Amino acid sequence: MKMAAGQTIEIVYVDKAGKITQRKIDVHGIRDGRIRATCLTTGAPRVFLSANILAWQPVQERRYA
C-alpha cells in the first residue's frame, strides 16, 4: 500500500537529533521525499523526511454500531 495525500497514518519517525517518536498525522502532500502533514498529537503543521520514517500504517477508522 502506498502513502497518499488525504490519508491519516501512524508513523514511527526518527528526527535529526536521533529521537524516535510515534505519532498520527494527516498527510497533505508528498513531493521530493518530503511529506507535508498535520501532526495530530500537537495539531501543528510539519514536514517529515520519508527517509526518516522507520514504519507506517494507515489508521483504521473506528466504527460503532
Side-chain angles (χ1 to χ4, degrees):
M1 176 179 245
K2 289 184 82 172
M3 191 184 308
Q7 277 186 307
T8 299
I9 63 172
E10 188 168 6
I11 63 172
V12 177
Y13 186 78
V14 59
D15 66 15
K16 60 185 168 189
K19 182 179 175 186
I20 296 174
T21 61
Q22 182 174 348
R23 59 184 74 221
K24 291 180 182 173
I25 63 172
D26 282 332
V27 178
H28 300 301
I30 303 168
R31 186 172 45 177
D32 298 329
R34 298 179 191 274
I35 299 161
R36 287 185 310 109
T38 298
C39 175
L40 299 180
T41 304
T42 63
R46 294 276 313 263
V47 175
F48 298 93
L49 297 176
S50 61
N52 291 359
I53 295 177
L54 304 176
W56 73 275
Q57 67 180 7
V59 172
Q60 298 298 318
E61 295 288 326
R62 291 188 179 183
R63 296 181 187 219
Y64 300 99

